[in-house]
Amino acid sequence: MLSSFIKKIRENVPTAILTAAVLGALLLQLNLLSGQLELQRQQFESQIGTTSSRLSERVRLFVRRKSMGSFSSNANVDSVFTINTPMGQTTVRWSNAQIHPPYGIGTRDTTMLGGMLDNFQSSLPWSTQLDVTELDSIIANELKQNGVRTEPVWALIENGYLSTLTSEGFDPEKVTFNYVLAESFFGPTRQLLLYFPSEKFYLAKRVYLSLVASLLFSTVILTAFFGVQRQGRRQKRLANVKSDFINNMSHEFKTPLATINLAVDAIIKNGDKMDADQIRNYLAVIKTENKRMNAQMESVLQMSMMDKEELTLQRTQMSIEHVVVEAVEHFKLSVAQRNGWIDLVVSPGSYTYFGDPTQFKSALTNLIDNAIKYSSDVPMVSVKLSEEDHDFVIVVKDRGIGMNEETTSQVFDRFFRATKGNIHDVKGHGLGLSFVQEIVDKHGGLIDVQSKIGVGSTFIIKIEKNQ
């Protein structure tokens, strides 16, 4: 029990190591990508922080230019402008007689007026000096200057209350940034709340090259991993079926060789006492077993030729009906000896085809022989030949033991046998159906199988008609 457990662990060590290596590489990729995203996030927050720190100055300059604009509108009259305050309106009048060069706007010295306006602005709410469109434009321009290229949703809080300066669609639940723009002894007097609806996509886009490279690398790793795993399972299965094949071949050769050996020994020891008929019977046994071995070797050589792509078709004008009839007739006697039957139904039609009659008949013979071998004690096999618009159709149906889905999916694999649990219950070495499929493929056809345990199997061959 313990040795079996240790053996399984040893067998799975390479797979475990490979799996750990792949997972480690994927985790490393995710960690690097996470680091890139975090770095971009920090840079993003820094850019927004820089924007908020400069926002008050930008608003002050904007309001000042906006207020001073009235002085440049008319050079010949006194200037008048009004500033709204919570206590009412404050009107400032400026007479041209009070203006002296050289500083200011044109010929006007605005130094004193600018200082006075700054004092007013610092004590007034922004909502009395700006509208939503103006503040939105200032915020957007500042963000762009600091490298932020995604649109924000924002709101302004002044003296603890939500200001009317709030962008459309603002949702307090989604706020991710909160910056204090002004404060007094009692706490913040002006705050800017921000969030970015496309923040995650924007940050991902900033690292898209790393993201694409990481995804590509991960895809390559996973593809290679699953490819190696699949190939490993395939090689393991192939090793198992090859082991079965060797055991089957040993058995198939051992039996006829033993029979031949017994016949030869009998002739050597008692040949002088045998009459001509007895010797002839022993020789017939030797010839039969020799033919049996030769047939087995021929099938193995055929598969070897297929591996080397040396098997070529000798195409000629042939009758598929004639070939099918010959293949069925070949088994009628052996089936009758087991009290079974094999019938053939040929639908009316023209079955002339340009192919290799020898190889085609060999494929059908293998297919019918397989149906008989895997039948019950009394074989019952039906063969039907018909034609469709573009294909010839050959159906071989038995009432045998049938196959499950797993066996059906592997039945055309080389060396595969459905009776792996008892390799000697049915004679063969797992090459017959593989050979059949190869011949059908070389004729440009398709072969399919339908099977159910305890009911039987149906093989369907479709060969495209010659044009």
Side-chain angles (χ1 to χ4, degrees), residues 388-460:
E388 297 177 349
D389 292 339
H390 304 287
D391 302 305
F392 298 116
V393 182
I394 302 171
V395 178
V396 178
K397 181 178 181 181
D398 65 61
R399 281 80 172 171
I401 59 177
M403 299 177 286
N404 56 29
E405 290 185 6
E406 181 182 1
T407 301
T408 302
S409 66
Q410 303 176 64
V411 73
F412 295 109
D413 291 352
R414 197 169 303 180
F415 306 118
F416 177 79
R417 298 188 68 204
T419 54
K420 291 187 291 184
N422 183 1
I423 61 174
H424 299 317
D425 57 348
V426 178
K427 295 182 183 296
H429 34 71
L431 294 175
L433 291 179
S434 178
F435 171 76
V436 172
Q437 186 183 48
E438 186 75 18
I439 296 301
V440 172
D441 286 344
K442 284 186 174 293
H443 280 86
L446 297 172
I447 183 169
D448 190 24
V449 59
Q450 301 169 359
S451 188
K452 188 174 181 181
I453 294 291
V455 177
S457 303
T458 301
F459 289 85
I460 303 169

Side-chain angles (χ1 to χ4, degrees), residues 277-326:
D277 289 338
Q278 289 177 319
I279 293 177
R280 194 178 296 112
N281 287 336
Y282 279 112
L283 293 176
V285 170
I286 293 173
K287 184 176 181 180
T288 300
E289 295 301 324
N290 183 66
K291 287 178 63 177
R292 177 179 166 186
M293 292 175 61
N294 186 64
Q296 291 167 353
M297 286 303 303
E298 187 65 27
S299 63
V300 174
L301 289 173
Q302 285 176 335
M303 296 309 298
S304 177
M305 291 172 66
M306 289 182 195
D307 280 342
K308 298 177 182 178
E309 298 184 354
E310 294 176 355
L311 181 63
T312 56
L313 301 181
Q314 304 298 321
R315 293 181 179 269
T316 184
Q317 202 73 14
M318 58 177 264
S319 169
I320 291 183
E321 180 180 358
H322 180 70
V323 172
V324 173
V325 170
E326 283 188 350

Side-chain angles (χ1 to χ4, degrees), residues 169-450:
F170 176 78
D171 184 357
E173 299 293 330
K174 297 180 180 180
V175 172
T176 54
F177 299 96
N178 182 355
Y179 294 101
V180 176
L181 304 181
E183 57 184 341
S184 66
F185 176 79
F186 299 101
T189 57
R190 185 176 296 125
Q191 294 172 259
L192 179 66
L193 307 181
L194 281 166
Y195 67 89
F196 297 83
S198 303
E199 178 181 343
K200 292 181 179 180
F201 176 76
Y202 174 72
L203 292 176
K205 189 170 66 172
R206 290 175 67 161
V207 295
Y208 77 96
L209 287 177
S210 299
L211 180 62
V212 170
S214 178
L215 290 175
L216 182 61
F217 184 63
S218 300
T219 301
V220 171
I221 290 177
L222 289 175
T223 302
F225 174 70
F226 287 116
V228 170
Q229 289 287 83
R230 181 180 179 184
Q231 187 67 18
R233 289 192 297 269
R234 183 180 178 185
Q235 290 295 330
K236 186 176 180 180
R237 182 167 62 86
L238 185 60
N240 290 334
V241 296
K242 280 188 175 181
S243 177
D244 286 345
F245 167 74
I246 293 171
N247 291 332
N248 289 325
M249 286 297 294
S250 299
H251 175 75
E252 293 298 324
F253 279 107
K254 185 177 180 180
T255 301
L257 284 173
T259 304
I260 291 172
N261 188 55
L262 288 173
V264 171
D265 285 344
I267 293 174
I268 292 173
K269 291 180 181 180
N270 304 309
D272 54 343
K273 300 177 183 180
M274 297 179 184
D275 56 28
D277 289 338
Q278 289 177 319
I279 293 177
R280 194 178 296 112
N281 287 336
Y282 279 112
L283 293 176
V285 170
I286 293 173
K287 184 176 181 180
T288 300
E289 295 301 324
N290 183 66
K291 287 178 63 177
R292 177 179 166 186
M293 292 175 61
N294 186 64
Q296 291 167 353
M297 286 303 303
E298 187 65 27
S299 63
V300 174
L301 289 173
Q302 285 176 335
M303 296 309 298
S304 177
M305 291 172 66
M306 289 182 195
D307 280 342
K308 298 177 182 178
E309 298 184 354
E310 294 176 355
L311 181 63
T312 56
L313 301 181
Q314 304 298 321
R315 293 181 179 269
T316 184
Q317 202 73 14
M318 58 177 264
S319 169
I320 291 183
E321 180 180 358
H322 180 70
V323 172
V324 173
V325 170
E326 283 188 350
V328 172
E329 289 293 330
H330 179 78
F331 292 98
K332 279 194 172 181
L333 181 60
S334 61
V335 171
Q337 289 175 347
R338 294 173 57 183
N339 297 319
W341 52 265
I342 178 171
D343 64 357
L344 172 63
V345 176
V346 180
S347 301
S350 175
Y351 295 100
T352 302
Y353 181 72
F354 189 71
D356 188 330
T358 302
Q359 297 293 357
F360 201 87
K361 180 182 176 181
S362 181
L364 288 177
T365 301
N366 273 277
L367 191 59
I368 297 172
D369 181 56
N370 193 76
I372 295 171
K373 285 194 299 185
Y374 287 93
S375 292
S376 55
D377 294 337
V378 180
M380 295 175 287
V381 181
S382 299
V383 181
K384 182 180 179 181
L385 173 63
S386 61
E387 64 174 337
E388 297 177 349
D389 292 339
H390 304 287
D391 302 305
F392 298 116
V393 182
I394 302 171
V395 178
V396 178
K397 181 178 181 181
D398 65 61
R399 281 80 172 171
I401 59 177
M403 299 177 286
N404 56 29
E405 290 185 6
E406 181 182 1
T407 301
T408 302
S409 66
Q410 303 176 64
V411 73
F412 295 109
D413 291 352
R414 197 169 303 180
F415 306 118
F416 177 79
R417 298 188 68 204
T419 54
K420 291 187 291 184
N422 183 1
I423 61 174
H424 299 317
D425 57 348
V426 178
K427 295 182 183 296
H429 34 71
L431 294 175
L433 291 179
S434 178
F435 171 76
V436 172
Q437 186 183 48
E438 186 75 18
I439 296 301
V440 172
D441 286 344
K442 284 186 174 293
H443 280 86
L446 297 172
I447 183 169
D448 190 24
V449 59
Q450 301 169 359

Side-chain angles (χ1 to χ4, degrees), residues 114-183:
M116 184 177 63
L117 288 175
D118 288 342
N119 291 333
F120 271 109
Q121 290 174 14
S122 62
S123 60
L124 296 178
W126 283 4
S127 57
T128 63
Q129 306 172 67
L130 298 166
D131 58 31
V132 173
T133 303
E134 291 171 336
L135 184 55
D136 186 72
S137 177
I138 293 172
I139 293 174
N141 287 334
E142 275 298 304
L143 287 172
K144 287 180 180 179
Q145 287 184 15
N146 286 285
V148 178
R149 306 293 178 180
T150 182
E151 294 297 323
V153 178
W154 54 269
L156 195 67
I157 293 180
E158 295 190 292
N159 297 315
Y161 294 96
L162 187 65
S163 171
T164 56
L165 296 176
T166 302
S167 62
E168 185 178 356
F170 176 78
D171 184 357
E173 299 293 330
K174 297 180 180 180
V175 172
T176 54
F177 299 96
N178 182 355
Y179 294 101
V180 176
L181 304 181
E183 57 184 341

